[in-house]
Amino acid sequence: MKTHPSNIRPGDIDYYFTASLNRRLARHRLAQSIWDAAIPALLLLGAMAFSCSALAATDDEIANAIYKLEGGAKAKAPYGILSIKVRDAAHGRKICLNTIRNSRTRWIKSGRPGDELDFLANRYCPPSADPVGNRNWKRNIHKLTK
């Protein structure tokens, strides 16, 4: 029950002030405990993001490896792109880089199962189409990106 300020007795002022202060302190302690719990989590996420990006090959390095893997300048299909008609090597590289980025996005959305390059290999050279080729592709892409 709320009391009108004119009905508060002198002894009640301490009670209302203390209750209000206690509520503010409780909110502050809650906010502080949430913040204290969030800082280590944010630091851990930042460290994970840095370590993953520092260890993984760049998109250009992966594209260069795919170019070599798929036959280089002698290849009939630059960068092994068979899904659409490729005009030239520059167009093939653009499609290859898009495939690499899209594969990384799918890999992250699926919860990062296994190695990123293995995930890309399963997309680029599916094991259902060529199981031996898939194993060779995975082995070679790992060698070329180190």
Side-chain angles (χ1 to χ4, degrees):
M1 177 174 146
K2 292 192 177 187
T3 306
H4 190 272
S6 63
N7 296 337
I8 298 176
R9 296 186 303 269
D12 293 341
I13 291 175
D14 289 337
Y15 169 78
Y16 286 108
F17 176 75
T18 305
S20 173
L21 183 62
N22 286 341
R23 282 192 300 276
R24 278 191 238 135
L25 283 173
R27 282 194 301 263
H28 173 75
R29 285 187 193 116
L30 177 64
Q32 187 64 42
S33 65
I34 290 170
W35 184 248
D36 289 344
I39 288 176
L42 291 172
L43 289 173
L44 179 65
L45 286 173
M48 286 173 49
F50 177 75
S51 66
C52 289
S53 63
L55 297 175
T58 65
D59 292 352
D60 285 328
E61 291 170 343
I62 296 170
N64 292 339
I66 291 172
Y67 182 74
K68 290 177 187 173
L69 248 161
E70 296 294 338
K74 297 177 185 176
K76 290 181 182 179
Y79 293 89
I81 305 296
L82 302 174
S83 57
I84 61 172
K85 187 164 176 66
V86 178
R87 293 186 299 269
D88 56 5
H91 185 232
R93 183 174 183 84
K94 181 179 175 185
I95 295 167
C96 178
L97 287 168
N98 285 339
T99 302
I100 293 166
R101 284 188 216 104
N102 292 337
S103 176
R104 181 174 295 123
T105 303
R106 285 187 202 98
W107 177 67
I108 291 169
K109 283 183 180 179
S110 64
R112 300 176 187 233
D115 184 69
E116 179 185 354
L117 292 176
D118 289 342
F119 193 85
L120 174 65
N122 290 336
R123 183 77 176 187
Y124 228 94
C125 180
S128 59
D130 184 7
V132 174
N134 178 268
R135 280 194 306 273
N136 292 335
W137 209 94
K138 286 179 182 179
R139 186 183 68 245
N140 291 332
I141 195 78
H142 282 283
K143 284 181 182 177
L144 291 171
T145 55
K146 287 187 179 184

